[in-house]
């Protein structure tokens, strides 16, 4: 079990970095799968016979070396490079600000086409570094404890914008060979979690294609076991995730009765606990992975009793699982409180004694609002009021 402490000193370092978006009109190569890249190069006049080799070369420049300028791709003929520069671009989201927490967590605010903003969080740990990436601007779902769910504006991120988050983090951390990153050391971005803004399974194709790029054996080369996709429970997409991505799965479980889960994770009204558990039972076999992470946010007096803990272990019996307890992270206007530390430990203990790992997730980057569920575009204006949030959660104070 974790010896996590829920406090982080409040200091921060805000850096504003201006990086212009490349001029439009050209096709962005970032985020294209190998097949899509091949099609794009052929459409631009690359002879089919050469296409495979050109894909390999361009891929290596972009994802292994981190090169953004076609002129630097020196193993390609000069006029081929000129053709590439005319028709294509290697474009990442615009980095607007970077905040560094007292605990080393970094939060990036990124601007994407249309002027939308999303956030990416880098969490350094002793033997690894986890990048928490976003899959949507906002979220169409309205989990009542989640800040992102209060954001009205929603759009899916493109595969380029998803892969771009990984590339931008590597830029900032100096992890490309071009930047002199040492070889054979623990990688700075060694793990990815799709736990930022948005519901990844409502943007399935783009998430899948982006992960194909990230998992490719050349370039970013993150193994599928170092990628965890977190879903609120979009049941029809769960088997597809196993078959077409094959990454690890986390599920935002959060409650042990349909009555409470309907209130916390409203998608439960569509696919209830029993239906969800059915899909989860098949996942390890379909994806050939060991176990599923059950995420469980600890909300004082709502879902944190001993009875909840006992029901939880009963429900998941037979599913290879680990239960990740997340102390609730507050945000302005949030209608819940974090469970007391003793309560969280007592809950963890029941689960642990039933034979499941029950780590308590250390809140990271709280001082820069980078912790789980706190992400939301700061400049986004269409905010829901406190009353609206309470009303949707079915809580008193809705008319306040
Ligand atoms: N949409 C996906 C992934 C993003 S949320 C999902 O819901 O699974 C990542 C995790 O943070 C989820 O388990 C989510 O339920 C949890 N979370 C959301 N708001 C939170 C908050 N305020 N405090 C703690 N965890 C929160
Ligand atoms: Fe969306 Fe996940 Fe937040 Fe629910 S918890 S509103 S699904 S981002």
């Amino acid at each position: 079990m974790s010896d996590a402490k829920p406090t982080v000193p409040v200091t921060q370092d805000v850096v504003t970095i201006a990086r212009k978006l490349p001029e439009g009109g050209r096709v962005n190569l970032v985020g294209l799968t190998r097949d899509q890249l091949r099609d794009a190069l052929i459409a631009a006049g690359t002879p089919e016979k050469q296409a495979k080799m050109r894909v390999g070369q361009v891929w290596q420049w972009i994802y292994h070396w981190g090169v953004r300028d076609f002129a630097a791709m020196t193993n390609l003929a000069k006029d081929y490079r000129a053709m590439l520069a005319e028709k294509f671009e290697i474009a990442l989201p615009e980095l607007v600000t970077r905040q560094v927490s007292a605990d080393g967590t970094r939060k990036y605010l990124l601007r994407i086409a249309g002027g939308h903003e999303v956030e990416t969080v880098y969490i350094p740990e002793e033997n690894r570094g986890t990048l928490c990436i976003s899959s949507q601007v906002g979220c169409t779902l309205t989990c009542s404890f989640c800040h992102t769910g209060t954001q009205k504006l929603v759009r899916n991120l493109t595969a380029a914008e998803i892969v771009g988050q990984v590339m931008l983090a590597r830029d900032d951390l100096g992890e490309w060979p071009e930047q002199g990153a040492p070889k054979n050391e623990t990688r700075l971005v060694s793990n990815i979690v799709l736990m930022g803004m948005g519901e990844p399974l409502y943007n399935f194709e783009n998430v899948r294609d982006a992960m194909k790029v990230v998992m490719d054996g050349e370039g970013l080369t993150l193994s599928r076991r170092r990628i965890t996709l977190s879903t609120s429970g979009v049941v029809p997409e769960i088997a597809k995730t196993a078959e077409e991505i094959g990454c690890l799965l986390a599920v935002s479980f959060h409650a042990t009765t349909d009555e409470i889960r309907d209130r916390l994770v409203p998608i439960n009204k569509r696919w209830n606990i029993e239906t969800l558990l059915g899909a989860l039972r098949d996942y390890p076999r379909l994806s050939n992975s060991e176990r599923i992470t059950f995420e469980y946010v600890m909300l004082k007096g709502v879902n944190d009793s001993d009875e909840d803990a006992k029901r939880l272990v009963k429900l998941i019996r037979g599913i290879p699982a680990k239960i990740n307890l997340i102390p609730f992270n507050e945000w302005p206007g949030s209608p819940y409180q974090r469970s007391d530390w003793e309560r969280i430990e007592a809950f963890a203990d029941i689960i642990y004694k039933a034979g499941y790992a029950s780590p308590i997730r250390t809140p990271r980057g709280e001082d820069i609002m980078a912790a789980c569920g706190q992400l939301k575009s700061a400049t986004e204006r269409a905010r829901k009021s406190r009353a609206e949030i309470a009303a949707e959660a079915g809580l008193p104070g809705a008319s306040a």
Side-chain angles (χ1 to χ4, degrees):
M1 201 197 304
S2 159
D3 57 352
K5 300 253 171 5
T7 48
V8 174
V10 180
T11 55
Q12 56 175 274
D13 144 30
V14 182
V15 186
T16 303
I17 301 151
R19 180 181 297 166
K20 283 193 74 186
L21 282 172
E23 268 117 57
R26 288 165 296 176
V27 174
N28 189 5
L29 295 185
V30 174
L32 300 187
T33 61
R34 278 187 188 263
D35 287 347
Q36 291 164 344
L37 179 57
R38 182 174 185 276
D39 292 347
L41 294 183
I42 290 172
T46 306
E48 282 207 27
K49 271 203 274 178
Q50 292 177 13
K52 193 169 179 212
M53 184 170 71
R54 299 285 170 251
V55 167
Q57 289 167 318
V58 172
W59 189 278
Q60 193 179 43
W61 283 116
I62 299 177
Y63 298 114
H64 175 76
W65 295 106
V67 159
R68 307 286 149 76
D69 181 359
F70 293 106
M73 299 185 176
T74 46
N75 58 355
L76 297 170
K78 259 204 172 145
D79 42 351
Y80 192 72
R81 282 185 255 163
M83 181 282 287
L84 290 175
E86 194 192 309
K87 303 219 161 114
F88 300 112
E89 63 182 9
I90 301 165
L92 305 189
E94 178 187 358
L95 181 51
V96 183
T97 59
R98 182 192 73 184
Q99 287 172 280
V100 183
S101 158
D103 70 12
T105 300
R106 294 174 181 219
K107 181 168 85 170
Y108 306 104
L109 176 67
L110 311 179
R111 189 169 300 135
I112 56 172
H116 302 295
E117 290 173 345
V118 287
E119 292 176 331
T120 306
V121 177
Y122 176 68
I123 307 145
E125 287 166 289
E126 208 161 305
N127 296 313
R128 62 185 195 174
T130 302
L131 193 68
C132 177
I133 61 180
S134 293
S135 55
Q136 297 183 308
V137 176
C139 186
T140 49
L141 300 172
T142 51
C143 302
S144 51
F145 53 88
C146 174
H147 204 202
T148 310
T150 67
Q151 190 167 325
K152 282 178 174 165
L153 194 65
V154 180
R155 98 147 157 81
N156 279 340
L157 298 191
T158 62
E161 290 158 350
I162 298 170
V163 175
Q165 295 174 61
V166 182
M167 296 171 75
L168 274 172
R170 293 195 106 204
D171 286 358
D172 182 48
L173 297 165
E175 209 188 3
W176 298 104
E178 284 283 276
Q179 295 169 296
K183 276 190 187 146
N184 302 325
E185 300 233 329
T186 307
R187 289 179 53 172
L188 295 171
V189 178
S190 64
N191 292 65
I192 288 181
V193 293
L194 281 145
M195 294 186 186
M197 299 164 74
E199 168 48 61
L201 296 189
Y202 274 163
N203 186 15
F204 185 83
E205 272 83 22
N206 290 333
V207 166
R208 177 200 56 206
D209 290 351
M211 292 306 106
K212 274 192 186 163
V213 172
V214 167
M215 296 187 296
D216 189 274
E218 183 158 24
L220 301 171
T221 57
L222 279 168
S223 113
R224 65 190 188 87
R225 290 174 194 282
R226 289 186 173 271
I227 298 172
T228 304
L229 182 150
S230 175
T231 181
S232 57
V234 186
V235 166
E237 308 293 315
I238 289 180
K240 260 168 76 187
T241 306
E243 283 153 7
E244 297 181 35
I245 309 178
C247 59
L248 302 179
L249 188 72
V251 62
S252 294
F253 209 65
H254 304 324
T256 58
T257 63
D258 282 323
E259 191 206 336
I260 300 291
R261 196 163 191 271
D262 281 353
R263 270 209 274 150
L264 299 182
V265 189
I267 201 177
N268 193 67
K269 293 180 199 156
R270 181 113 187 250
W271 295 291
N272 65 12
I273 290 180
E274 198 189 328
T275 315
L276 175 59
L277 287 171
L280 297 177
R281 272 180 221 288
D282 293 335
Y283 194 87
R285 179 180 49 81
L286 293 176
S287 64
N288 189 24
S289 61
E290 301 98 59
R291 55 185 185 172
I292 291 177
T293 301
F294 284 76
E295 297 163 285
Y296 198 97
V297 65
M298 298 299 294
L299 304 170
K300 193 179 203 158
V302 176
N303 63 353
D304 62 352
S305 69
D306 284 356
E307 287 66 42
D308 281 305
K310 288 176 196 158
R311 261 198 305 270
L312 180 60
V313 282
K314 243 191 193 164
L315 282 171
I316 65 170
R317 196 168 285 157
I319 304 177
K322 136 176 140 184
I323 292 115
N324 207 331
L325 299 177
I326 316 175
F328 173 60
N329 296 308
E330 296 201 9
W331 35 271
S334 58
Y336 301 104
Q337 285 173 299
R338 179 181 291 181
S339 305
D340 295 333
W341 201 245
E342 298 71 39
R343 184 88 294 273
I344 299 178
E345 289 193 322
F347 195 98
D349 209 42
I350 293 173
I351 293 164
Y352 181 72
K353 288 199 173 118
Y356 295 96
S358 56
I360 302 170
R361 192 180 290 173
T362 317
R364 297 289 302 263
E366 280 184 298
D367 52 337
I368 55 169
M369 285 280 287
C372 294
Q374 291 184 324
L375 304 186
K376 173 170 163 164
S377 164
T379 54
E380 184 258 325
R381 278 182 206 92
R383 287 173 198 283
K384 286 186 190 173
S385 68
R386 214 176 248 266
E388 278 179 285
I389 296 164
E392 280 171 11
L395 295 170
S399 57

